[in-house]
Amino acid sequence: MKPKYLALTAIAALALNLAAATVDDARRLAEDGDTAGAIEMMRSLVAEQPKNGELRKQLGDMCLGAGDDAGALEAYTEARRLGDREAVLALAEMANLEYRTDDARSLLEDYRKLLKKGKRTVHPDNSGDLDDRIDRTENMLGRVEQIEVIDSLIVDADDFFRHYRLSAESGSLNAPADVLPTNFKAAEPTVVYEPESRRQMIWAAPDTAGNFALYSTSALYGNLWEIPTPLGDDLGEGGDANYPFLMPDGITLYFANDGENSLGGLDIFISRRGDDSFLQPQNIGMPYNSPYDDYMLAIDELTGTGWWATDRNRIPGKVTIYVFIPSDLRRNVDPESPDLIARARLTSIKDTWNPETDRRAIIERIVALKNDTKSRPHQFEIAIPGRGVYTNFDDFRTPQARAAMKKYLENLEKVTSAERSIEAMRQAYGRGDRSDEEFIRQGEKQLEAARAALITLRNDVITLER
C-alpha cells in the first residue's frame, strides 16, 4: 500500500477512535442525568459523520430514553435508511411501545430478513422475547378497562407513596425505615403496607434466590413481631414482586411484578386469598399497565378513589400518580373504538371523564382526609419512639394502645388532683395549721407509688403501640 493511503487509513482509524471516545462521553453524560447534554453531543457527532447509521441509532436510543419519541423515530428511520439493521429492531420495539402491533410485527419480520442476508456472516438475533411482548400487547388491547381518571400528579420517584391520600380504614403506606424492626430485611426500594389495625405489615424483601418476594408479619404482645413469612409462593411468577396493597376485606391483594406475564417492567397484578395462601395472580391489564413500570395500586373505599404510580411518561427522577374511580363491575372499551389506543395509553385523562361525575366533590373528600389531622383536637401529647408525637386518640394504630392511653390519662388526672390537694395542705401547714400533718405524710408516700405506676402505664402505651 502506498504511503499516502497508509496515512489516510491511519487518519480514518484515529477519527473512529475519537468518535468512539466521544460516544462514551455522551453515554456518561446520560448516565449522570444530563440527557440534554448527551443528546446534543450525539447530534454533533451525527453532523460530523452523516452517513454513520450506528451513530444515528445510538442518538435514537438516547432520545427515546429521554421521552423524545419524535426525535427517536426520526433518528431510527434515518439509521435504517443508512443500512443499520438494529435500527429496524428499534423501530419494531418503538411500534410495540406505542401499541402499533401490526407495524411491530412487520418491522420485526424485516429485521429477521436482514439477518439472513449474506452467506458468510451470521448475525445475532437481538429481538429477545419481542414476539411474546407483541402478543401480550395485542391481547391486552382487546380488554382495555373503561375507567375514569379524575386527576394526575407528577412527584419525586423516591417518596411517591407519601402523596397517596388514603383514609385510616384503608390502611397506610410507609417507608421501611419508619416501621420495620431493624433486623427485618427489605427490598430497595419497597413500601410497607399496614392495615388500619396496624397489627400486620406486608412488604417486599430479597428471598433466598435474590429475587424480591412479598413477606408478611403480625404483631405480638409488646414491641415484638412474628418472624416474616412469604405471603404466597405463586406471586413471584419468575420475577420481582413488590409494592403490596391489601384491601380491607383481607382477601384482595394488589401488587407489582415484572415476571413473564408483564408487558415490560413492573405491571400491576391482583390475587385473592384462598384457603391456605394467595391464589395465582392475574395481570389487571390496560390502562393501568404499560410497557414501562406501573405499580402501587391502592383503593380507598371511603373516598371512592384509586391510586397508582407509573413512569410511562419518562420524566427523569419523577413518576406520575393517577387518581381514578374504581368500579365493582369491569367495563371494557370497545376494541373497534377509534380511540382504543389513546384510552389504553391514557393519552389524555380528560377523554376518560364522565360528564355526570362530580369530580370536585371527590377531590374535596380527598382534601378533607389531608386536612383531617390538622383539624383534630389536641387531646394530649406523648412521644412514641419511631412514630413521632401523638396528640389525638386517632393517632394510635392499635386498640390496645388506645385503651392503655385512656387508662394512663385517667390515672394521670387522679395523680394531678391528689398533688393539688397535698399542695394545699402543705401551704396550710406553712401558715401554722398542723392538723393535716399525718395526711400530708401518708399522701406523699402514696403519690410516690402513684407516680411510679404512671411511668409503668406510660411505658405500656409505648410498648403496645410499637
Side-chain angles (χ1 to χ4, degrees), residues 374-393:
K374 297 179 180 179
S375 60
R376 290 182 307 183
H378 191 287
Q379 297 173 321
F380 51 77
E381 190 167 297
I382 182 171
I384 307 294
R387 294 283 179 181
V389 178
Y390 288 14
T391 61
N392 188 283
F393 282 109

Side-chain angles (χ1 to χ4, degrees), residues 86-103:
E86 298 306 310
V88 181
L89 178 59
L91 286 168
E93 290 275 9
M94 193 170 179
N96 187 54
L97 291 175
E98 296 175 347
Y99 303 167
R100 295 182 288 109
T101 54
D102 289 342
D103 290 344

Side-chain angles (χ1 to χ4, degrees), residues 111 117 185 462:
Y111 169 73
K117 284 188 176 181
K185 293 182 179 179
I462 294 171

Side-chain angles (χ1 to χ4, degrees), residues 338-355:
D339 64 346
L340 175 68
I341 291 178
R343 294 294 295 268
R345 297 182 67 188
L346 284 180
T347 303
S348 169
I349 66 172
K350 288 185 178 180
D351 292 341
T352 72
W353 288 356
N354 184 337

Side-chain angles (χ1 to χ4, degrees), residues 198-433:
R198 301 290 181 93
R199 303 293 292 172
Q200 183 186 20
M201 292 190 287
I202 305 173
W203 74 103
D207 61 14
T208 54
N211 295 322
F212 290 174
L214 298 183
Y215 286 82
S216 175
T217 183
S218 297
L220 301 171
Y221 180 78
N223 190 29
L224 296 175
W225 291 84
E226 292 180 343
I227 296 174
T229 56
L231 200 61
D233 295 333
D234 295 328
L235 302 180
E237 294 204 320
D240 290 328
N242 208 337
Y243 301 109
F245 179 84
L246 186 65
M247 292 292 291
D249 61 11
I251 296 174
T252 307
L253 174 72
Y254 293 100
F255 68 100
N257 187 284
D258 62 357
E260 59 185 12
N261 290 314
S262 74
L263 275 171
L266 291 170
D267 272 15
I268 300 168
F269 287 75
I270 185 173
S271 178
R272 290 183 172 84
R273 193 189 299 273
D275 294 335
D276 300 321
S277 63
F278 282 90
L279 305 176
Q280 187 71 30
Q282 301 293 321
N283 190 310
I284 67 172
M286 299 174 181
Y288 309 100
N289 292 321
S290 71
Y292 302 95
D293 285 331
D294 306 274
Y295 47 96
M296 199 66 259
L297 186 143
I299 294 178
D300 190 334
E301 294 177 318
L302 182 66
T303 60
T305 57
W307 307 66
W308 91 90
T310 176
D311 66 4
R312 68 182 66 186
N313 294 316
R314 290 166 290 158
I315 304 171
K318 305 285 186 178
V319 298
T320 302
I321 296 175
Y322 288 115
V323 187
F324 70 102
I325 300 176
S327 174
D328 293 333
L329 181 64
R330 181 176 180 125
R331 294 176 57 239
N332 292 335
V333 179
D334 184 350
E336 301 300 323
S337 173
D339 64 346
L340 175 68
I341 291 178
R343 294 294 295 268
R345 297 182 67 188
L346 284 180
T347 303
S348 169
I349 66 172
K350 288 185 178 180
D351 292 341
T352 72
W353 288 356
N354 184 337
E356 298 180 0
T357 300
D358 189 351
R359 291 181 297 277
R360 181 181 295 276
I362 297 174
I363 293 174
E364 286 176 353
R365 288 202 295 269
I366 297 172
V367 172
L369 286 178
K370 180 179 178 180
N371 295 332
D372 183 50
T373 55
K374 297 179 180 179
S375 60
R376 290 182 307 183
H378 191 287
Q379 297 173 321
F380 51 77
E381 190 167 297
I382 182 171
I384 307 294
R387 294 283 179 181
V389 178
Y390 288 14
T391 61
N392 188 283
F393 282 109
D394 289 340
D395 291 333
F396 286 97
R397 58 180 183 155
T398 67
Q400 294 88 345
R402 193 178 296 117
M405 187 65 192
K406 290 180 180 178
K407 184 177 180 180
Y408 168 76
L409 290 175
E410 290 171 359
N411 283 270
L412 177 62
E413 178 60 28
K414 292 177 182 178
V415 169
T416 303
S417 178
E419 286 175 339
R420 286 196 293 264
S421 297
I422 291 176
E423 180 60 24
M425 286 188 285
R426 286 198 188 103
Q427 291 178 3
Y429 183 88
R431 293 192 297 268
D433 183 355

